[in-house]
Amino acid sequence: MKETTAPGRPAASAGRTARTHHDRLRRRVTTAADQAGVAGALVVLVLVFAATAPYFLTVDNLLDVARQISVTAILGAGLTFVIMTAGIDLSVGSAVGVTALFAVRPALDGFPPAIAVLAALGAGLVIGTVNGVLVARLKLASFIVTLAALTYLRGVTYVGTDGKTLFSTTLGYAWIGNGTVLGVPVPVVIMVLVFAAGWYLLNRTVFGRWVHAVGGNEEAARLAGIPVRRVLTCVYIISGLCAGIGGVIASARLQSAVPDLGTGYELSAIAAVVLGGTSLMGGKGSLVGTLVGAAIIGVLVNGMTLLDVSSFYQQIIQGVVIVLAVAVDRLRVREAPAPGAAA
């Protein structure tokens, strides 16, 4: 018995290793195919609007598109981590409003710009931590937790602003929203840095592998020794931090804190994530895809605006795009073979 069992163990281990490598390779190929499809859709949109809107391909307009999508894309970067764990964060739009308030209020009270920015980022971290603890530690549904946060955070913004716009013509950090670096808008530079950091974290660190594992099968990840609760808490903290960055940029551009700032941002950000190929069922996602998804939304809105399409119709079209993105995600999930299944 000993002689026949011992050789079998290495063989079984080798088989599991081969299946693991095969699954990873298949996921990479599938992700690359999804990204190619999304990029193709973006190219088609660009070509259509280039042919129909005379000013679409001008440098100024393209930079304006990039500036316009910066906040949505940054929110999408944080949401990519959350959605990859099969969660959701509906509070990011309201969090933008709250963090903008935490940035503008200190600035109006005479604090240095750095303090104002740090206050906003700190508020975003607190929001993300609260959401993460409620989801990971208390096992509450992320939809309910973040839906409640969407509501009470908006209330906090209205209370903090007294329902009025807090405006300053001398906002010390206004350059973050309106300045340029070598001709490139600062919000675009920040967006690129956020995505570069997020890509490295997701694809080149142990934490990134944990995020994939937790989203793929939370129970299996727990049995494998992965600190599931810590991972879940951290992804919501990342989302909250991205909301803080978005709040700083949005308030800097407007030089104000507006009570309803950020309303609807969560829908655009989620749409960008799903369009980019991240599965709502968890386990699969791409920050590059999210960036392309945000670009698709930005190009679509900009192109329709240049063509003088009514804002009412724009909302209908954007809603249809979101439904189609979710439908495509469901089809991908149905057609995808189970991990470890025979090829």
Side-chain angles (χ1 to χ4, degrees):
M1 293 295 295
K2 291 182 179 179
E3 294 178 356
T4 57
T5 302
R9 291 178 179 174
S13 177
R16 285 193 298 270
T17 302
R19 285 195 299 272
T20 299
H21 287 309
H22 176 72
D23 291 339
R24 289 178 180 173
L25 179 60
R26 184 173 56 209
R27 284 197 299 268
R28 290 175 181 174
V29 171
T30 302
T31 300
D34 290 341
Q35 290 177 2
V38 176
L42 176 60
V43 170
V44 170
L45 272 180
V46 169
L47 292 176
V48 168
F49 287 128
T52 55
Y55 301 103
F56 178 77
L57 279 184
T58 61
V59 174
D60 288 343
N61 185 62
L62 293 179
L63 286 176
D64 190 48
V65 172
R67 183 189 294 108
Q68 289 175 357
I69 70 169
S70 58
V71 173
T72 298
I74 289 170
L75 295 180
L79 276 168
T80 300
F81 285 87
V82 173
I83 293 177
M84 282 189 65
T85 62
I88 196 71
D89 188 352
L90 299 174
S91 69
V92 292
S94 295
V96 167
V98 170
T99 54
L101 171 63
F102 271 80
V104 172
R105 177 64 76 179
L108 291 177
D109 291 339
F111 286 91
I115 298 298
V117 171
L118 289 175
L121 299 181
L125 289 173
V126 170
I127 292 169
T129 300
V130 171
N131 287 341
V133 168
L134 291 175
V135 171
R137 303 288 175 173
L138 298 186
K139 301 297 183 182
L140 301 181
S142 61
F143 179 87
I144 300 300
V145 168
T146 59
L147 180 62
L150 178 152
T151 304
Y152 70 70
L153 290 174
R154 184 60 61 195
V156 169
T157 307
Y158 273 96
V159 170
T161 60
D162 196 25
K164 303 173 184 177
T165 298
L166 301 181
F167 180 76
S168 171
T169 57
T170 58
L171 199 64
Y173 64 92
W175 64 273
I176 292 178
N178 302 292
T180 60
V181 177
L182 299 178
V184 180
V186 173
V188 178
V189 175
I190 295 174
M191 177 182 69
V192 171
L193 293 176
V194 167
F195 272 85
W199 183 89
Y200 180 84
L201 184 62
L202 189 60
N203 296 283
R204 291 292 185 268
T205 67
V206 173
F207 176 77
R209 292 195 292 271
W210 287 352
V211 170
H212 282 89
V214 171
N217 190 321
E218 183 176 324
E219 182 60 21
R222 184 184 65 80
L223 294 175
I226 294 174
V228 173
R229 292 190 298 181
R230 191 190 312 165
V231 172
L232 291 177
T233 302
C234 286
V235 296
Y236 286 93
I237 292 175
I238 291 171
S239 183
L241 177 60
C242 287
I245 297 172
V248 170
I249 294 174
S251 62
R253 285 189 63 188
L254 299 174
Q255 298 189 54
S256 61
V258 184
D260 60 353
L261 180 62
T263 300
Y265 279 27
E266 63 280 346
L267 297 180
S268 297
I270 292 171
V273 175
V274 178
L275 277 173
T278 297
S279 173
L280 289 169
M281 305 303 293
K284 182 173 77 72
S286 163
L287 280 168
V288 174
T290 296
L291 184 57
V292 176
I296 288 177
I297 295 174
V299 166
L300 186 63
V301 171
N302 179 262
M304 289 190 295
T305 301
L306 291 177
L307 293 176
D308 201 25
V309 176
S310 168
S311 61
F312 304 136
Y313 287 106
Q314 289 189 32
Q315 292 181 29
I316 294 173
I317 293 171
Q318 290 180 64
V320 170
V321 169
I322 293 174
V323 171
L324 289 176
V326 174
V328 170
D329 174 62
R330 295 296 296 175
L331 290 174
R332 282 198 301 255
V333 171
R334 287 181 182 179
E335 294 176 359

